[in-house]
Amino acid sequence: MTAATPVPFLPLAHGVGSRHDLPLSPFYAYAGAFAALFVSFLALGLLWSASRFRGAAAGRPLPAAVQRVADARATRVALRALGLAAAVAVLLHLLLGPDDPDRNPAPGAVYVLLWVGLVPASLLLGPVWRLLNPLRAVHSLLPAPRTPRPLPPAVGIRPAAAGLLLFAWLELAAPEPAATPTLLAFLAVYAAVQLLGAARHGARWFAHADPFEVYSSLLARLSPLGRRADGRLVLRSPFDGLDSTPQTPGLVACVGVLLGSTAYDGLSDNPRWLTALQTSPLGPTVTATLGLLATVALVAALYGICAGALRLMTRSLTHPLTAFAHSLLPIALGYLVAHYFTLLVTEGPRTVMMAAGTDNALAPDPPLAPGGLATLQVAAIVTGHVLGVVAAHDRSVRLFPPARAVAGQLPLFALMIAYTLGGIGLLIA
C-alpha cells in the first residue's frame, strides 16, 4: 500500500497510509532537523536577550461590530444549537445506521471530523468546541445547581487529561473502535461524566474536564484570533497566545497524552509492532494498551527529567513542570499535522459524502504524492520543534538571570532534539 492508494476508513491505521515506504532519506531528514534546531537555538541565544511576548496583554482589537456579533447571545445560541444538532445526527446514525464504518458516517464524524477537524478549526477560529459543545447545550437546559461546588485549584485540567487518554485508548488500542456498540458506550460514559460533573460544579466543569474542549482550547493558543485579559477580541501573534497559556495543574499531563498518543499512532502501523501485537501472549488489546501507556509515560518522563534538571540549575524556578509546558504545544501540533493530514483530507470528505446519503463513498486521492507527503511530515515536525524552541527561549530569558538564560535552556534543547529524532524515526522506521 502506498500513501496515494485510497483505503477504507480504519481508525487504527491513521492518516498517511503506509509511512514506511515513503521516499524519505534518513540521513537528510535527521541532518536537516538537527541543523534547523541548532541554528535556531544559536540565533536565539545571540540575538534574543529580552522577552518579547506579552501574553494575554497583547493583540490588536478587532472592530467593535465584530466583537458585538461574536459575543451576541443569538450567535452563542445558534452555535450551541448547531453543535447539538450535529451530535443528534451522529447518535441517530449510530442507533439506526448499519454497523459498518464504510457505510455509516458516525465513526468518521467522531474520529476524523471531530478529533482531527478540531485542529484546523481551533487554529483558525480559536476554542470552537467551547461554543459548539452539545453537552453545554444540554446542561443549559437542565435545572442549575443551587450551590455549585467550586473545583479545587489542584484539580486543574487533570480530568480532561484522563478523558484524552481514554479517547486515545479507544482510538488506538480498543478492539473494534469503529463498531457501533463501542462508540455508543464511549459516548454514554463521556456524556454521563460531563453532565454529572457540571451538575455538581456548574458549567465551569467543562473547561476543566471535557477532553475535546480542553484539546481545542490548547490548540487555540496558537490561533491568531484570541482574547486579551480584558475580554477584547484581538488579532495577535500566535506566540503571544502561546505565552498566555495558564500554568494550570494537568497541563503537562494533557500535552503528554497528545504527544504520546500521536507518537504511538506512528508506531502502531510499524510492521514489527504489528507482528508483536499478533504474537503477544497477552493478546493484541492488552499489548496495545501497554504500548500506548508506555509511550505516553516515556514522553512525560523525558519532560519530567528536563524539568528536574531546570530546577537543579535554577532554584528560584518554583514551578518547573508547568513553566515551560506551553513550549510543547507547537510540537504536539507538528505531530498532529504530520500524522493526520491525509486522514482529514481524504476521510473527511468521504464522511461528509456518506452523511449526505452516498452509499459506499470512496475517499478522494490524497492531494500530495508520496514525496510531497514525506516533505510535509518532516517539515511539520521540525517546524513544531523550532516554534517550541522560540517559545522556550522567550520564557527562559524572562525567568532566568541573564548569565544563565542560554545555559538554562540546554535541558530543553536536548529534550527538543530527542522528541524530533523520535518523531522522524517513527516516520521512517
Side-chain angles (χ1 to χ4, degrees):
M1 183 193 306
T2 67
T5 303
V7 295
F9 175 78
L10 184 60
L12 290 176
H14 267 200
V16 292
S18 179
R19 285 187 285 270
H20 312 290
D21 54 6
L22 292 175
L24 196 65
S25 165
F27 173 78
Y28 288 115
Y30 287 128
F34 180 79
L37 287 174
F38 181 77
V39 170
S40 61
F41 178 77
L42 184 62
L44 290 168
L46 293 174
L47 303 175
W48 197 309
S49 59
S51 177
R52 303 183 184 185
F53 304 145
R54 297 190 296 124
R60 176 176 297 179
L62 290 174
V66 176
Q67 175 103 26
R68 285 195 297 270
V69 172
D71 291 342
R73 176 176 172 78
T75 302
R76 302 302 178 94
V77 170
L79 291 173
R80 201 64 53 77
L82 177 62
L84 185 59
V88 170
V90 170
L91 187 59
L92 290 176
H93 278 293
L94 284 173
L95 294 173
L96 305 177
D99 189 7
D100 179 0
D102 287 329
R103 299 174 56 218
N104 191 326
V110 174
Y111 291 116
V112 182
L113 298 183
L114 173 59
W115 180 246
V116 185
L118 272 179
V119 176
S122 301
L123 288 176
L124 292 173
L125 303 173
V128 292
W129 192 247
R130 185 183 303 166
L131 300 175
L132 294 171
N133 192 344
L135 296 181
R136 279 188 178 267
V138 173
H139 173 70
S140 67
L141 299 175
L142 299 176
R146 291 183 179 179
T147 54
R149 296 190 180 184
L151 279 169
V155 170
I157 55 175
R158 288 191 174 104
L164 287 170
L165 184 59
L166 174 62
F167 184 79
W169 176 84
L170 175 78
E171 182 186 32
L172 300 170
E176 300 183 351
T180 295
T182 304
L183 279 171
L184 284 174
F186 168 76
L187 293 176
V189 171
Y190 163 59
V193 169
Q194 296 305 315
L195 292 176
L196 288 174
R200 183 181 181 87
H201 299 288
R204 291 182 64 252
W205 168 260
F206 296 106
H208 293 263
D210 189 302
F212 302 111
E213 187 163 316
V214 171
Y215 170 61
S216 174
S217 298
L218 289 177
L219 292 174
R221 294 292 169 181
L222 287 159
S223 172
L225 275 178
R227 289 186 184 272
R228 288 192 318 214
D230 60 5
R232 287 299 303 271
L233 194 63
V234 296
L235 286 176
R236 65 187 181 187
S237 163
F239 282 115
D240 285 314
L242 194 61
D243 190 63
S244 68
T245 305
Q247 297 181 37
T248 183
L251 176 61
V252 175
C254 283
V255 180
V257 171
L258 291 177
L259 279 171
S261 61
T262 310
Y264 177 77
D265 177 59
L267 173 68
S268 65
D269 69 344
N270 184 291
R272 285 172 290 183
W273 180 249
L274 291 174
T275 300
L277 289 178
Q278 298 303 320
T279 58
S280 171
L282 299 175
T285 299
V286 174
T287 304
T289 301
L290 293 176
L292 172 64
L293 294 176
T295 307
V296 172
L298 175 62
V299 168
L302 289 175
Y303 180 74
I305 293 172
C306 173
L310 290 173
R311 184 72 174 87
L312 289 175
M313 295 175 66
T314 307
R315 294 290 182 178
S316 60
L317 190 62
T318 55
H319 301 287
L321 274 177
T322 55
F324 291 91
H326 70 298
S327 66
L328 300 184
L329 288 175
I331 300 174
L333 175 61
Y335 276 54
L336 289 167
V337 172
H339 286 270
Y340 298 147
F341 169 78
T342 304
L343 182 72
L344 180 62
V345 298
T346 57
E347 293 299 336
R350 192 169 83 94
T351 298
V352 174
M353 286 188 286
M354 281 193 288
T358 303
D359 194 30
N360 287 318
L362 295 177
D365 291 335
L368 296 176
L373 178 58
T375 301
L376 171 68
Q377 290 178 307
V378 174
I381 289 176
V382 173
T383 300
H385 284 81
V386 170
L387 296 179
V389 169
V390 174
H393 178 84
D394 189 86
R395 183 64 57 86
S396 178
V397 297
R398 183 187 307 168
L399 296 180
F400 296 157
R404 297 184 183 179
V406 175
Q409 295 175 65
L410 291 176
L412 286 165
F413 184 59
L415 178 70
M416 301 289 184
I417 292 176
Y419 282 168
T420 303
L421 297 183
I424 294 176
L426 290 172
L427 296 177
I428 62 181

